[in-house]
Each structure stands twice: as structure tokens, then as C-alpha cells.
Amino acid sequence: MKFFVDTADVDAIRELHDLGMVDGVTTNPSLILKSGRDILEVTKEICSFVEGPVSAEVVAEKAADMIAEGRKLAEIAPNIAVKVPLTWDGLKACKVLSGEGKMVNVTLCFSSNQALLAAKAGATFISPFIGRLDDISLDGLELIDDIRTIYDNYGFDTQILAASIRTLNHARECALIGADVMTAPPSVIKAMASHVLTDKGLEQFNKDWAKTGQKIL
Ligand code: E4P
């Protein structure tokens, strides 16, 4: 499973990138706001060291405007994936931009029928939002599973980019289901390294080591 980092925080991306944990990056208007940076400038900086797809989102509502914004964002670097919303206009923009050879990430997907349409429109990635479905007492992971089945049934190439990942269980289940990619905030990726028994075991080893009175260096 590929790991994308869901942030526009360059320092956080660099830290994970240095560990080989970054196969790509996703951003959205809220994350750009949080970064306090200019979208074109920060996206360019991210693309200067991340080799994989970097998603940058359009903000227009009409297909023609989304296409114009998408073309401008795609000029930033060859690894830009233009992010368009899963609306009828977004699907039109997806069809045109993917036809031009650009990577397109169709975002804000909340149903398997939406995911089916995105694949038909030539999306490179479909982004189903797990956490936001869980927020309204629906099952976000069930959606990932359904899309996996549908895409496999018909051999669609569109990659499932599991998004809105909030918990360690989301990450684990996405890997078991076979999501192609998960995008998660740096805090979730880092939390994947933690286990209470690791902490407990280390505490005991440290205590016992102190009693030996030995040193390695
Ligand atoms: C995906 O591309 C989105 O940026 C993101 O995963 C949204 O996550 P949230 O629902 O936690 O804001």
C-alpha cells in the first residue's frame, strides 16, 4: 500500500520523506489555509523533493473553470495530480484533464456509485472519505471494501486512495481490504509505530540494563 501524507506542512512531509514513508502528498483548501502559505508556492516546494503524485485541488464550481485551474496547477510540476470534487462538473473536468494526460484525483467521494462514475471518467485516483462517513454514523471502511470489489469486478485502473483516515484501525483495515493508497495526517502515520507493549517492554529492558552496570559505547 502506498502512503500519501495528507498535509501542506513541508517540515512534516520532509521528516516522513527522509524515512521513506512518503509515496505522495495530498492537500486541500483547508490544509493550504492551515499551512498559511500560498498554494502555488507551497505546492512547488513540496514537488521539489517528493517524487510521487502531489494532489493540488481546484476551487472553481464550473467544469470550464476547473479545467483552467487544473491546467495552471499542473504546470507547477510533472507529478501534480489535479484534485477535482465529485460533482457532475468535476467529472467533466476529470474527463478533459485525464484526456490531456494529467493525473486526476477525484475527491469528496462518499458512495460506490460516485466511485464508479469517477473511474468511467478516467480518474487516476478516487478519494473516498472514511472519517467523514464515520462522523455521520455510516461505515467508511465498508465503502472502501465496496469500491475495491466494484473496481476489481470490471478491471478499472483507477486507484483507491483511502482518505479522511483518522485512526489506526482505518489504516489497518484499508491495508487488509487492499486500498491502493492511504492518505493520512503525519500524526496518524507516526502513531502507527506505537504500541503499549513496546513501551512497556522498553521500560523493563531499560530498568534491567541499568542494573547490569554495563555500557555499549
Ligand atoms: C483527502 O485528500 C483529504 O484531504 C483528507 O483526507 C480529508 O480528511 P479529513 O476528513 O480528516 O479532513
Side-chain angles (χ1 to χ4, degrees):
M1 182 166 63
K2 287 179 235 164
F3 278 17
F4 288 4
V5 194
D6 199 27
T7 185
D9 177 338
V10 176
D11 291 339
I13 298 168
R14 273 191 199 281
E15 186 189 1
L16 290 166
H17 181 261
D18 290 350
L19 268 175
M21 302 288 178
V22 179
D23 299 307
V25 170
T26 50
T27 64
N28 63 38
S30 305
L31 293 171
I32 295 294
L33 173 69
K34 200 171 164 192
S35 76
R37 305 264 314 262
D38 172 80
I39 183 172
L40 299 178
E41 182 200 278
V42 74
T43 308
K44 190 170 180 185
E45 186 175 347
I46 295 167
C47 290
S48 71
F49 66 95
V50 172
E51 301 80 16
V54 174
S55 290
E57 189 160 343
V58 302
V59 291
E61 285 179 22
K62 296 283 171 214
D65 300 328
M66 286 186 202
I67 292 164
E69 287 180 355
R71 286 178 180 149
K72 180 160 183 183
L73 292 169
E75 279 171 10
I76 297 172
N79 56 330
I80 286 289
V82 179
K83 214 172 175 188
V84 301
L86 214 158
T87 58
W88 198 247
D89 279 78
L91 291 171
K92 288 182 187 171
C94 173
K95 182 73 182 158
V96 171
L97 293 167
S98 62
E100 292 174 357
K102 297 174 178 54
M103 286 187 285
V104 180
N105 175 359
V106 180
T107 190
L108 290 167
C109 169
F110 294 95
S111 77
S112 41
N113 282 337
Q114 287 182 315
L116 189 50
L117 291 178
K120 301 283 284 180
T124 316
F125 301 103
I126 182 69
S127 289
F129 278 36
I130 300 172
R132 294 190 193 189
L133 279 168
D134 289 359
D135 287 346
I136 58 163
S137 302
L138 293 175
D139 189 345
L141 288 166
E142 187 180 42
L143 174 61
I144 303 295
D145 202 19
D146 286 352
I147 298 172
R148 180 75 283 155
T149 301
I150 290 168
Y151 282 8
D152 289 351
N153 281 348
Y154 299 102
F156 286 117
D157 292 335
T158 302
Q159 295 179 53
I160 302 174
L161 199 177
S164 189
I165 287 190
R166 311 257 179 82
T167 68
L168 297 181
N169 190 50
H170 286 161
R172 173 181 178 274
E173 291 294 326
C174 283
L176 284 170
I177 291 166
D180 300 286
V181 190
M182 75 157 190
T183 188
S187 57
V188 172
I189 295 175
K190 288 173 100 171
M192 289 169 75
S194 301
H195 197 285
V196 65
L197 292 179
T198 306
D199 297 343
K200 200 174 164 199
L202 201 53
E203 194 184 332
Q204 186 63 51
F205 288 159
N206 286 340
K207 272 188 198 156
D208 291 344
W209 182 247
K211 287 180 200 161
T212 69
Q214 299 179 37
K215 281 193 161 68
I216 293 177
L217 290 177

